[in-house]
């Protein structure tokens, strides 16, 4: 298949591009490079630099490629920033997506694989989380992703778009070549790795008074390569609808730090800090639907492998993509 992939210079987009190419597919990456890295785009892919907010540019790019399917990764994805600047999130994550669907309609492309998030559920009333839980996002980031899911449902009903919503839990780890390089970095595992590399003094634990056995938040960490494989299954099969992508195993912040100490051999000093606003106690996926319907089988479910791969990548590329 030929995939038109937005955000291929970002973390999840770059690894998915690589996995699609390895599986024999063709990829055209459409990315503004505002946040992504040119060096993160697999050289086997075709690259079109462009901004999703420029409607004509999206339309022209799609018409020139005439792909079989679209995978849409490009988005702003920082919860805290979205609370500070909600309109920035709605403009990019919603309006940009609409331009993409308009371009698909003009070109006759139907399949749309959408990077959605467990943040669309807000505070879940059940763990593990199935796809039918109520979606009540608690920040503009999650709301923008939910809005676009709903827009895609109307596009399905009225113009025949075939959407798949992949609701990610905590993406982490790396492939051999591509890994996580955000600026600023806010995610737990890369920040822990920075401490082990001596780039930071300590890791802050955001709250130890949560309703969990050790008091720190529990999340479902999913290896980036497993996440990428789910996209390939979603695009090559005849699917629509929502799929939660996680391992179904929850690990606390404290457990993640302990595994990282074991992997890196570094003491990784930790300091207790204030809770971060909007953090639920637990977010753990029930990914049975993805396993059953997509035939998804995560190959790297254990936290030690995930952290080992993140550590290896950051050691191989200590400046990230800068060099
Ligand atoms: N976290 C932390 N210290 C940090 C960064 C994150 O304690 O420096 C916690 C955060 O509160 C959450 C978990 O680690 O409970 C995972 O956070 P991350 O930002 O990696 O992903 P999120 O769950 O927000 O998508």
């Amino acid at each position: 298949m030929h995939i038109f992939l937005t955000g291929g210079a970002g973390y999840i987009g770059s690894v998915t591009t690589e996995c699609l190419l390895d599986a024999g597919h063709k990829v055209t990456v459409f990315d503004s490079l505002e946040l992504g890295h040119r060096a993160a785009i697999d050289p086997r892919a075709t690259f079109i630099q462009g901004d999703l907010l420029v409607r004509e540019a999206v339309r022209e790019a799609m018409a020139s490629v005439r792909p079989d399917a679209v995978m849409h990764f490009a988005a702003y994805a920082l919860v805290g920033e979205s609370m500070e600047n909600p309109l920035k999130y709605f403009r990019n994550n919603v309006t940009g997506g609409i331009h993409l669907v308009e371009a698909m309609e003009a070109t006759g492309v139907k399949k749309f694989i959408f990077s959605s998030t467990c943040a669309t559920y807000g505070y879940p009333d059940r763990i593990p989380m199935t796809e039918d839980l109520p979606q009540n996002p608690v920040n503009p980031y999650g709301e923008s992703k939910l809005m676009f899911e709903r827009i895609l449902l109307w596009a399905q009903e009225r113009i025949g778009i075939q959407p798949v919503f992949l609701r990610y839990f905590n993406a982490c780890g790396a492939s051999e070549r591509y890994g996580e390089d955000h600026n600023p970095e806010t995610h737990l595992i890369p920040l822990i790795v920075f401490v082990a590399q001596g780039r930071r003094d300590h890791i802050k634990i955001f709250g130890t008074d949560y309703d969990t056995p050790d008091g720190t938040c529990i999340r479902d960490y999913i290896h980036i390569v497993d996440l990428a494989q789910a996209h390939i299954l979603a695009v090559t099969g005849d699917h629509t609808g929502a799929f939660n992508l996680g391992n179904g195993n929850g690990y606390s912040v404290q457990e993640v730090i302990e595994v990282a100490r074991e992997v890196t051999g570094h003491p990784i000093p930790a300091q207790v800090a204030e809770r971060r606003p909007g953090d639920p106690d637990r977010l753990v996926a029930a990914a049975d639907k993805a396993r059953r319907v997509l035939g998804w089988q995560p190959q790297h479910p254990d936290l030690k492998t995930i952290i080992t791969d993140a550590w290896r990548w950051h050691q191989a590329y200590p400046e990230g993509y800068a060099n």
Side-chain angles (χ1 to χ4, degrees), residues 127-128 169 213 216-221 246-253 255-256 281-285 301 303:
I127 297 286
F169 283 64
T216 66
C217 288
I218 291 180
R219 295 288 178 272
D220 185 333
Y221 296 91
N247 280 311
N249 298 320
Y251 293 98
S252 71
V253 172
E255 285 172 319
V256 174
D281 304 67
R282 292 169 194 258
L283 293 172
V284 179
L303 188 58

Side-chain angles (χ1 to χ4, degrees), residues 6 82 127 145 173 249:
T6 74
S82 80
I127 297 286
K145 290 284 183 173
N249 298 320

Side-chain angles (χ1 to χ4, degrees), residues 75 93 114-117 120 141-149:
N93 296 1
F114 177 48
S115 294
S116 190
T117 166
T120 58
Y141 164 64
E143 186 79 70
S144 71
K145 290 284 183 173
L146 177 59
M147 278 182 181
F148 195 62
E149 282 197 8

Side-chain angles (χ1 to χ4, degrees), residues 121-134 169 244 282-286:
Y121 297 111
Y123 298 111
D125 54 17
R126 242 184 308 121
I127 297 286
M129 296 158 67
T130 46
E131 289 80 0
D132 57 357
L133 277 184
F169 283 64
N244 286 345
R282 292 169 194 258
L283 293 172
V284 179

Side-chain angles (χ1 to χ4, degrees), residues 38-279:
R38 181 68 183 86
I41 303 173
D42 194 305
R44 296 170 291 172
T46 303
F47 175 47
I48 300 175
Q49 184 167 358
D51 187 339
L52 284 172
L53 290 178
V54 183
R55 193 164 176 242
E56 268 316 302
V58 186
R59 188 188 284 253
E60 269 171 34
M62 185 84 64
S64 73
V65 172
R66 308 198 74 80
D68 300 303
V70 167
M71 287 191 186
H72 179 34
F73 296 89
Y76 293 144
L78 298 178
V79 168
E81 184 189 49
S82 80
M83 296 289 260
E84 299 297 320
N85 197 347
L87 299 186
K88 173 176 174 179
Y89 275 66
F90 294 122
R91 187 171 59 242
N92 198 43
N93 296 1
V94 180
T95 309
I98 291 172
H99 292 163
L100 200 51
V101 177
E102 286 174 334
M104 290 170 71
E105 190 186 10
T107 314
V109 184
K110 302 288 185 198
K111 276 198 181 184
F112 193 115
I113 312 298
F114 177 48
S115 294
S116 190
T117 166
C118 65
T120 58
Y121 297 111
Y123 298 111
D125 54 17
R126 242 184 308 121
I127 297 286
M129 296 158 67
T130 46
E131 289 80 0
D132 57 357
L133 277 184
Q135 288 176 289
N136 296 309
V138 292
N139 51 63
Y141 164 64
E143 186 79 70
S144 71
K145 290 284 183 173
L146 177 59
M147 278 182 181
F148 195 62
E149 282 197 8
R150 294 199 191 279
I151 288 167
L152 283 172
L153 285 175
W154 284 108
Q156 178 172 21
E157 186 170 318
R158 304 306 307 165
I159 57 179
I161 297 294
Q162 286 173 251
V164 178
F165 313 133
L166 299 180
R167 296 185 187 142
Y168 311 153
F169 283 64
N170 289 61
C172 41
S175 72
E176 278 300 320
R177 180 64 193 87
Y178 302 106
E180 191 165 9
D181 182 2
H182 296 122
N183 187 16
E185 188 52 78
T186 61
H187 295 108
L188 180 64
I189 291 179
L191 287 175
I192 290 174
V193 165
F194 290 172
V195 178
Q197 289 183 313
R199 296 163 66 183
R200 304 253 175 141
D201 295 341
H202 63 274
I203 184 76
K204 285 193 168 66
I205 300 179
F206 295 150
T208 52
D209 56 351
Y210 284 94
D211 184 17
T212 61
D214 67 20
T216 66
C217 288
I218 291 180
R219 295 288 178 272
D220 185 333
Y221 296 91
I222 176 79
H223 198 293
I224 190 79
V225 172
D226 286 333
L227 209 53
Q229 294 303 339
H231 290 74
I232 298 181
L233 293 166
V235 81
T236 50
D238 191 17
H239 304 291
T240 61
F243 298 92
N244 286 345
L245 298 180
N247 280 311
N249 298 320
Y251 293 98
S252 71
V253 172
Q254 189 65 51
E255 285 172 319
V256 174
I257 296 170
E258 271 153 28
V259 173
R261 287 177 178 143
E262 196 188 320
V263 166
T264 62
H266 188 283
I268 309 183
Q271 278 183 16
V272 175
E274 289 288 294
R275 281 184 174 212
R276 192 174 63 176
D279 262 340

